[in-house]
Amino acid sequence: MMKQAQPIVIIGAGPAGIAAATMIADAGHRPVMIDEGRAAGGQIFRQPHPEFLRPPGDIYGFDARREQAFRADVADLNPAVDYRSETTVWSAETGLLHLANRGRAFVQPWSRLIVAAGAMDRVLPTEGWTAPGVYSLGGAQISLKAEASLIGRNVIFAGTGPLLYLVAYQYAKAGANVPAVLETAKPFDNLSLLPALASGGATFARGLYYIAWLHARGIPVLTGVVPLEVTRAGDGRVNGLAFRHGARRLFLGCDALALGHGLKAETQIADLLGVDFYFNSQQRQWLPTIDMDGRSSIPNVYLAGDGASVRGSAVAAASGRLAASALLRDAGHRDEGIASRDRRMIARSMRFRNALDRAFPFPSDIAGTLPDKTMICRCEGLTAGDIRHTVVTSGEFDINRIKAFCRLGMGRCQGRICGPAATELIATVARIDVSAVGRLRGQAPIKPIPLRDLTEVGA
Ligand SMILES: Cc1cc2nc3c(=O)[nH]c(=O)nc-3n(C[C@H](O)[C@H](O)[C@H](O)COP(=O)(O)OP(=O)(O)OC[C@H]3O[C@@H](n4cnc5c(N)ncnc54)[C@H](O)[C@@H]3O)c2cc1C
């Protein structure tokens, strides 16, 4: 009997995954697409709950037309792919993925794999940040986009990066009172970055528009802010943020706080597959090593989109097409010579993306010097002081060794939330470069799944 060939599998139905799937389907294959979301869209085109009737312009703003075009592409693509929504990849190995869907576990064989798993928030812990009512910035946006809900009526936005201004704008437009946007960086102080930022064209112009819009509504946008403490009301919920601005210690009241200090690539699947990583010192994170078309160091494993490096939705789509066309060529398809346009587009955008990384850096100096009592690893209840103590008493500085000593990053989030700040803390205490701290190795399950899912094995 002839052995059936295993399918091409794509993880992630955001701009990168959908662009890759379209190209692979056009070449005559029927890829399996896996996404934990209810509907395709990824982060930028996240879909609202079907019962909600907010017009696209209210949800996606300037991206509403692109979202409509994306939706039409997904509708065209649907019959040509085996699409598995609400399905989480919780582990990966050569030729096999482990999936969970609605209380059941499955395995999915693959012959070639494109990982387009996107990014997530990078958060700087602040004293008191575990109070109810404190959300990650991305979480605040998901609440609005998908559930048409605000996280509060009086919401402070604190952190760094372009998404901070976008979400503050979206909240203010949706009716929230925004007492202030508090930026840790001083993005426009380095004038030499302006030409490179301006090379972002419409994307840069939109960023300026959001800031001008906030200013025009009387919403203070302060830069160079150092967050000091999230304060709580009698019921334990957040009721304000104390921060330093220049020489002044200030306080603003709120009933919810959104915190986000840029994005980090979701790299755990690549890690479990044994892909090589390198340290990107500008983004201060470990990223999978890929060639210019997304081939990883492991045969038949390709990476695309924010999961390879955070570079925005247009680059994500271009890199999805590049990964798909590399995969097709490697599988023996004729080289259609169409990759050069996407390669050029990505190369052109790098000037802008690099400038963004420099204008909105992760506040590593603040992270490295957080007060001892600040909670860092929420899952295991470890403070900055606990981590410092472990480094000093163990004499170790490799983050996986520190994990073995004090359980840092061993809980449900697997270090996805606490990892960036913990890395900076360890580097500062040990007085070494942050790259020498290494990265927390991915462990299955990479995302929390109910134990029940592992015992109910599907067909
Ligand atoms: C919270 C958040 C909000 C953002 N909002 C905006 C915005 O409003 N505007 C903007 O321009 N940019 C936004 N971005 C940046 C945005 O990520 C990119 O512009 C673009 O969406 C990247 O496309 P992508 O296909 O690489 O990844 P994504 O769009 O993130 O898609 C990745 C997909 O992979 C799926 N996935 C990940 N891990 C697994 C797994 N283990 N199992 C199954 N499925 C998995 C996810 O469900 C997701 O659908 C946001 C980023 C984040 C993290």
Side-chain angles (χ1 to χ4, degrees):
M1 206 167 67
M2 233 178 50
K3 210 175 147 203
Q4 209 188 345
Q6 300 302 353
I8 296 168
V9 176
I10 300 166
I11 304 172
I18 292 294
T22 304
M23 189 165 250
I24 287 168
D26 285 350
H29 297 271
R30 185 176 167 77
V32 173
M33 278 209 83
I34 300 167
D35 196 293
E36 62 190 349
R38 200 177 42 229
Q43 299 294 3
I44 183 169
F45 301 135
R46 181 175 287 276
Q47 293 300 296
H49 207 274
E51 283 97 65
F52 295 148
L53 298 173
R54 291 177 77 210
D58 285 4
I59 307 176
Y60 306 106
F62 290 116
D63 289 315
R65 277 193 175 186
R66 285 179 62 215
E67 191 276 336
Q68 298 290 286
F70 178 86
R71 194 98 340 258
D73 289 348
V74 170
D76 288 349
L77 178 65
N78 250 332
V81 294
D82 177 357
Y83 183 51
R84 319 268 178 87
S85 62
E86 294 179 270
T87 303
T88 300
V89 179
W90 60 268
S91 187
E93 57 189 284
T94 306
L96 209 60
L97 298 176
H98 297 266
L99 314 178
N101 165 274
R102 295 180 195 175
R104 299 182 71 178
F106 295 83
V107 290
Q108 173 61 56
W110 55 269
S111 58
R112 294 176 192 270
L113 178 68
I114 298 182
V115 185
M120 65 174 283
D121 285 291
R122 185 152 61 160
V123 177
L124 171 77
T126 299
E127 180 57 31
W129 69 301
T130 52
V134 180
Y135 287 70
S136 74
L137 181 64
Q141 196 200 40
I142 289 170
S143 170
L144 183 56
K145 263 189 193 168
E147 305 294 341
S149 302
L150 302 171
I151 60 168
R153 293 190 178 281
N154 198 27
V155 188
I156 296 178
F157 289 83
T160 188
L163 203 57
L164 188 66
Y165 303 93
L166 169 63
V167 184
Y169 162 82
Q170 290 172 330
Y171 260 65
K173 276 204 97 169
N177 179 51
V178 177
V181 178
L182 305 175
E183 163 71 71
T184 52
K186 293 184 176 176
F188 302 114
D189 274 19
N190 184 351
L191 291 180
S192 67
L193 287 179
L194 277 180
L197 288 172
S199 74
T203 309
F204 179 57
R206 279 184 204 182
L208 294 180
Y209 172 82
Y210 298 139
I211 295 172
W213 190 95
L214 292 164
H215 274 301
R217 297 316 177 275
I219 297 171
V221 177
L222 305 184
T223 61
V225 165
V226 178
L228 297 175
E229 186 178 358
V230 177
T231 58
R232 297 175 185 239
D235 61 0
R237 280 187 60 88
V238 58
N239 72 353
L241 179 70
F243 57 96
R244 207 170 60 235
H245 185 236
R248 290 183 304 161
R249 186 188 159 105
L250 300 171
F251 174 81
L252 280 173
C254 64
D255 64 6
L257 169 66
L259 288 179
H261 300 79
L263 301 176
K264 64 192 270 286
E266 286 275 40
T267 55
Q268 300 89 338
I269 295 170
D271 198 7
L272 291 182
L273 290 166
V275 163
D276 286 344
F277 278 66
Y278 73 98
F279 187 72
N280 181 314
S281 49
Q282 198 154 279
Q283 295 182 13
R284 285 180 99 79
Q285 54 184 298
W286 290 86
L287 296 174
T289 306
I290 50 171
D291 74 5
M292 70 169 132
D293 292 343
R295 288 184 190 86
S296 76
S297 58
I298 300 290
N300 304 325
V301 175
Y302 306 78
L303 287 133
D306 277 4
S309 178
V310 175
R311 291 173 296 180
S313 60
V315 171
S319 70
R321 284 189 295 271
L322 280 180
S325 78
L327 181 154
L328 291 169
R329 291 197 302 281
D330 296 348
H333 283 252
R334 204 157 58 88
D335 184 353
E336 304 286 351
I338 50 175
S340 51
R341 200 187 55 189
D342 285 320
R343 284 191 203 124
R344 275 200 307 277
M345 182 269 171
I346 292 177
R348 265 198 317 273
S349 71
M350 286 317 288
R351 188 168 175 233
F352 174 58
R353 299 307 311 185
N354 287 339
L356 280 183
D357 290 343
R358 290 179 59 198
F360 300 99
F362 182 67
S364 52
D365 47 342
I366 305 178
T369 54
L370 284 168
D372 273 349
K373 60 179 181 169
T374 307
M375 182 63 66
I376 304 294
C377 173
R378 299 177 303 175
C379 306
E380 297 291 339
L382 293 171
T383 62
D386 295 330
I387 296 168
R388 283 196 182 98
H389 178 74
T390 307
V391 176
V392 171
T393 53
S394 69
E396 301 282 352
F397 56 80
D398 176 288
I399 195 163
N400 291 293
R401 297 288 298 145
I402 301 297
K403 175 179 179 177
F405 279 106
C406 68
R407 301 185 58 87
L408 166 70
M410 214 181 267
R412 281 182 301 171
C413 93
Q414 292 281 302
R416 290 160 72 230
I417 307 277
C418 58
T423 307
E424 301 290 347
L425 265 174
I426 296 169
T428 307
V429 190
R431 297 181 188 202
I432 51 172
D433 188 79
V434 70
S435 62
V437 176
R439 65 195 164 83
L440 281 168
R441 280 190 291 274
Q443 302 282 350
I446 56 170
K447 292 192 177 179
I449 47 166
L451 262 182
R452 186 197 56 207
D453 287 14
L454 301 182
T455 51
E456 297 284 322
V457 179

